[in-house]
Amino acid sequence: MAIIAQKVYQKCKIWLLFAMLSLGVNNCTEDRNAGFDQMPKEWLTAKAEIETYSAIDSSKAFSLAKKFQEQHPNSELAQVICLLGYAETYRFWYNNTLATEYAKKAASAAKKIGYLEGQVQADLLIVETTKECDTCLDYLLNIEKTIQSNASVFKVKTIFRLYHDMGYYHYEISDTKTAKYYFFQASELAKKNQLFLEESIAKSALGSVFSREENLNKAITFHQQAIAKCQQNAPSECGNHYYEYAIALLELKRYDDALKAILTAKKLYKAHPHPFNAGEIDGILGTIYLKQKNYEKAEKSYLTFYKKARFSSTKIWAHNLLTNYYYTIGDFKNAFINSQKSVRMRDSVYSNERTYTSVAKRTSFELAQKDEEVQAANVRLRYAIIIGICILLITLTFGFLVYRNHQLAKQLTQLEQEKLQQKIDFEQRKLATTTLHLSQQSDLLQNIKKEIEQLNENAEPSLRTKIKHLLKTIDSNTNNENEWDKFKLHFEAVSPHFFEILRQRSSSITELDLKHCAYLKINLSPKQVAQILGISPKSVTLSRVRIKKKLQLDENEQLNTYLQSI
């Protein structure tokens, strides 16, 4: 229900939010915030130091916050600053419980004194350290409303953080479309305000979204952009970008490039005080070695990953990786042992109902130990049968697809031919209509010419010169040869090589015969052809008999059918 409510709210508010944030960002700078107007300069400096050291030296950040709190024990605003510093520090120490506790205290204190910037920062910290998705949604919606109402009082980095957390939340619930929207907004905001590190973080997040959508080439592009942007401005912060880049390369089976990227990430993590995914490096590294069939290094990396795992979920992942590794090398005993450990640990974390499955698997393993050779043979036979069935299904599917593709191609060809024939028929009808129209126009002009010639006999000498000029004009417009040339040009565009084929069939065929054939090709009747050529319909019929003999057609073969086939 929470997700549905969020989507409905999103449709109604998203553009209003964007407009208000745009106005707010344009009217504020990095250091402008309503809550800071009355804050002493040394407080601003102390707050900036605490925020800076939270990311690079948490111990010093903690000491600075504690010192600042002791210096200003009676200031509520100072208490908010210190609580935020403690929350950020515990977050980087991976103590999410304490981080959430201090963040909630900071949010409450900031709300009490009307310090919106601090309240939003605290709420974002709660979102980033809690594991309850419904709670995350509630906080994000409240933050969104707060920023909508007071967009101009927030720093650019705070708005960026909202965009990023919104995108990450939707990424977690697999709403990749909305996730991409927020990550793109975060990227554009960072680019506009020259926050180069934040811009690289947003681009890396976009790469992860495209990886989830299996658009790996686009994911690679965004990861490369993130690395390039980060290397120019904060090279020591590139570890996570290389880590995500390596995962995308691994999916693309570019194992050498993936290995190079993950080793670079490992090197950067080693030098960084608070690496983001340091514990997972060896897991990805082992997978790459396994794909490269470097089994010794793969096992070593997986075991290192397991030893470094801080959380139960990470240990489960490590057991699954080891299960896959031992199964790949044929060590089914260790594969089963790690699978069993993974199931037991997953049961303890997620559900007690899976205990029965774990017991059943343990019993099966004990029985398998007594007859290991038989069990191994059964496993191989089972896999052989499954592989055989899969190959058969794939073959049948491929055969069906090939047959279906052939049928579709055949239908497409037929449709294209029908469409082409319709176009040819249309052009032929158009040509026939035009030819008849020109013939009728020529006859009309000839009749007019005869009447003018009769008038010329009785005309005065002064008019005869004009009448003579008029007769020449009529003659020039009733030139049958010119009309034939124009007709021939349009006809060959519709039926190319028609006349050439007829001439090759019979060397005795004349230009008049070609005219008869062309008119027959466009389905003109003997009466219409007679009208065009100025002869009788009977002469047209006799001409067609003569043409059939010249073309050496059989008695049963129709001239019209032959001409239509050309």
Side-chain angles (χ1 to χ4, degrees), residues 182-198:
Y182 278 110
F183 285 140
F184 270 120
Q185 295 303 319
S187 177
E188 290 301 314
L189 180 65
K191 183 178 180 180
K192 182 178 179 181
N193 292 275
Q194 297 184 349
L195 302 176
F196 303 113
L197 177 59
E198 284 76 7

Side-chain angles (χ1 to χ4, degrees), residues 10 16 88 92 119 126 146 148 153 235 241 252 285 316 344 356 376 381 401 407-408 418 420 462 498 513-514 540 551:
Q10 180 70 19
L16 178 61
E88 289 281 9
F92 281 108
Q119 181 183 340
I126 293 170
T146 302
Q148 277 182 320
V153 307
H241 300 337
L252 279 172
L285 185 60
I316 293 170
R344 280 203 301 266
Y356 299 106
L381 178 60
L401 292 175
Q407 291 296 109
L408 291 174
E418 291 175 357
L420 179 61
S462 60
F498 180 80
D513 295 335
L514 293 177
V540 174
L551 295 176

Side-chain angles (χ1 to χ4, degrees), residues 447-458:
N447 292 332
I448 293 172
K449 179 181 177 183
K450 289 178 181 179
E451 293 181 4
I452 292 174
E453 286 176 345
Q454 291 176 0
L455 291 173
N456 188 37
E457 293 176 357
N458 301 320

Side-chain angles (χ1 to χ4, degrees), residues 261-319:
I262 203 69
L263 289 175
T264 303
K266 188 173 184 178
K267 181 180 178 182
L268 290 169
Y269 279 170
K270 185 176 287 188
H272 197 285
H274 303 294
F276 183 68
N277 286 320
E280 299 176 5
I281 283 284
D282 292 294
I284 302 300
L285 185 60
T287 302
I288 296 172
Y289 283 136
L290 182 61
K291 294 295 184 181
Q292 292 179 328
K293 298 182 179 180
N294 192 338
Y295 300 122
E296 183 178 350
K297 288 186 176 181
E299 182 181 21
K300 184 178 178 181
S301 297
Y302 283 147
L303 291 174
T304 302
F305 174 43
Y306 176 75
K307 291 177 182 178
K308 290 182 178 179
R310 300 183 182 184
F311 309 108
S312 298
S313 58
T314 312
K315 290 183 180 292
I316 293 170
W317 182 17
H319 279 305

Side-chain angles (χ1 to χ4, degrees), residues 341-352:
K341 289 180 179 179
S342 174
V343 171
R344 280 203 301 266
M345 189 171 291
R346 190 164 59 247
D347 288 342
S348 64
V349 174
Y350 300 111
S351 173
N352 291 328

Side-chain angles (χ1 to χ4, degrees), residues 6 41 58 106 170 220 241 244 249 309 393 409 430 440 496-497:
Q6 188 276 335
K41 186 175 181 181
S58 298
H170 288 93
I220 289 292
H241 300 337
E244 298 291 345
L249 290 169
L393 291 175
K430 182 178 176 183
Q440 293 170 356
H497 309 298

